[in-house]
């Protein structure tokens, strides 16, 4: 079974631009979560989607948004990019939402490395 | 108090030794616990999940959970240089959120 895929793998943008990242979960997985990882802050939760609905959101400004489609694929968007948005953005999928026992195990994609100049 | 804490390391062990990684969590109602390994520049890879008190073994890896002490650990036996990575502890809290610890950097010295 194919793993979680993320596109693009690398992205270079300039301040003020916007960016859209895409995530395709493992087939059959309905929950998708997004994380931002930086050397100083570690892995920080952005948001979680299940059945096209955002269930949880982390402490990020409104410039960060996302959505999930009916096929469980998800996108996240960052508008008005800042230098501090440079990070590895990780998508993780699971069969079910957190709290459902073994079905809530998250599997990560390879990530999108975003560099803001 | 942070919700999930880990020793930041770096933890250095000689090849062949046992590496012991520790994680504590604050939400007593947490039910699901995970250990991920992350190589530099790569994404986290699931090593173990554990849901019940006690030990769970998978090859050279043993996860230990003690809910009363709010403590979960990962033991790596016969450590190899290829085990050198950052190990992330993740907890699903009673309010159904996945919280990751800051990670522990492990270096296995040949």
């Amino acid at each position: 079974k194919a793993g979680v895929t993320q596109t693009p793998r690398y992205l270079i943008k300039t301040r003020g631009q916007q960016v859209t990242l895409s995530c395709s979960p493992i087939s059959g997985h309905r929950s998708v979560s997004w994380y931002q990882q930086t050397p100083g802050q570690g892995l920080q939760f952005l948001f979680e989607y299940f059945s096209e609905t955002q269930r949880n959101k982390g402490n990020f400004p409104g410039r960060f948004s996302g959505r999930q489609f009916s096929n469980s694929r998800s996108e996240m968007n960052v508008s008005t990019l800042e230098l501090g948005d440079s990070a590895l953005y990780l998508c993780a999928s699971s069969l079910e939402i957190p709290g459902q026992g073994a079905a809530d195990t998250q599997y990560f994609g390879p990530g999108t490395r975003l560099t803001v100049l | 108090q942070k919700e999930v804490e880990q020793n930041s390391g770096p933890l250095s062990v000689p090849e062949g030794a046992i590496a012991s990684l520790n994680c504590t969590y604050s939400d007593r109602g947490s039910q699901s616990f995970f250990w991920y390994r992350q190589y530099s520049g790569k994404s986290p890879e699931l090593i173990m999940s554990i849901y019940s008190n006690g030990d769970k073994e998978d090859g050279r890896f043993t996860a230990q959970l003690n809910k009363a002490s709010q403590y979960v650990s990962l033991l790596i036996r016969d450590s190899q240089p290829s085990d050198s990575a950052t190990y992330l502890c993740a907890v699903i809290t009673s309010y159904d959120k996945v919280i990751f610890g800051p990670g522990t950097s492990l270096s296995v010295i040949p």
Side-chain angles (χ1 to χ4, degrees), chain A residues 35 37 43 45 48 55-57 88 90 98-99 101-102 104-111 113, chain B residues 32 34 36 38 41-46 49 51 88 92-93 95-102:
Chain A
Y35 297 88
Q37 189 173 41
L43 203 63
F45 172 73
E48 179 211 336
R55 287 190 66 249
N56 277 309
K57 191 177 191 304
L88 179 67
L90 291 161
D104 59 17
T105 302
Q106 291 191 336
Y107 298 89
F108 283 85
R113 173 77 60 185
Chain B
S32 304
F34 307 89
Y36 288 85
Q38 187 175 24
K42 302 293 186 181
S43 63
E45 169 193 13
L46 180 71
S49 60
Y51 302 92
L88 299 166
I92 297 183
T93 66
Y95 42 98
D96 295 342
K97 285 192 75 171
V98 182
I99 309 293
F100 280 82

Side-chain angles (χ1 to χ4, degrees), chain B residues 28-97:
Chain B
R28 184 169 289 278
S30 299
Q31 294 295 326
S32 304
F33 308 86
F34 307 89
W35 282 101
Y36 288 85
R37 175 176 63 196
Q38 187 175 24
Y39 293 112
S40 181
K42 302 293 186 181
S43 63
E45 169 193 13
L46 180 71
I47 299 175
M48 300 271 291
S49 60
I50 186 166
Y51 302 92
S52 305
N53 279 328
D55 294 0
K56 179 180 178 182
E57 187 175 317
D58 184 359
R60 296 186 296 112
F61 299 95
T62 299
Q64 300 174 317
L65 175 61
N66 184 325
K67 291 185 180 179
S69 300
Q70 295 173 235
Y71 174 94
V72 58
S73 66
L74 180 70
L75 299 178
I76 307 175
R77 290 182 301 281
D78 188 25
S79 295
Q80 302 297 308
S82 59
D83 295 327
S84 297
T86 296
Y87 289 79
L88 299 166
C89 170
V91 174
I92 297 183
T93 66
S94 60
Y95 42 98
D96 295 342
K97 285 192 75 171

Side-chain angles (χ1 to χ4, degrees), chain B residues 3-21:
Chain B
E3 293 181 272
V4 178
E5 299 196 58
Q6 298 179 246
N7 293 335
S8 61
L11 174 66
S12 292
V13 299
E15 184 175 354
I18 296 175
S20 178
L21 304 162

Side-chain angles (χ1 to χ4, degrees), chain A:
Chain A
K1 187 183 278 190
V4 179
T5 59
Q6 291 186 246
T7 56
R9 293 293 311 279
Y10 302 91
L11 208 48
I12 299 175
K13 292 286 188 179
T14 56
R15 280 181 298 174
Q17 287 187 308
Q18 76 165 22
V19 66
T20 299
L21 311 182
S22 181
C23 171
S24 292
I26 293 171
S27 178
H29 284 198
R30 299 192 292 166
S31 177
V32 173
S33 296
W34 288 90
Y35 297 88
Q36 181 196 65
Q37 189 173 41
T38 58
Q41 298 296 319
L43 203 63
Q44 291 190 287
F45 172 73
L46 280 157
F47 21 67
E48 179 211 336
Y49 287 89
F50 182 82
S51 293
E52 302 178 68
T53 301
Q54 186 180 91
R55 287 190 66 249
N56 277 309
K57 191 177 191 304
N59 296 325
F60 279 82
R63 301 185 295 107
F64 291 81
S65 63
R67 58 178 175 168
Q68 186 181 34
F69 302 96
S70 58
N71 61 358
S72 295
R73 191 177 69 85
S74 179
E75 289 181 347
M76 67 162 281
N77 185 77
V78 187
S79 62
T80 320
L81 284 166
E82 300 177 0
L83 294 179
D85 297 333
S86 295
L88 179 67
Y89 289 87
L90 291 161
C91 167
S93 76
S94 58
L95 274 169
E96 294 292 339
I97 59 176
Q100 301 302 308
D104 59 17
T105 302
Q106 291 191 336
Y107 298 89
F108 283 85
T112 294
R113 173 77 60 185
L114 172 64
T115 301
V116 182
L117 302 176

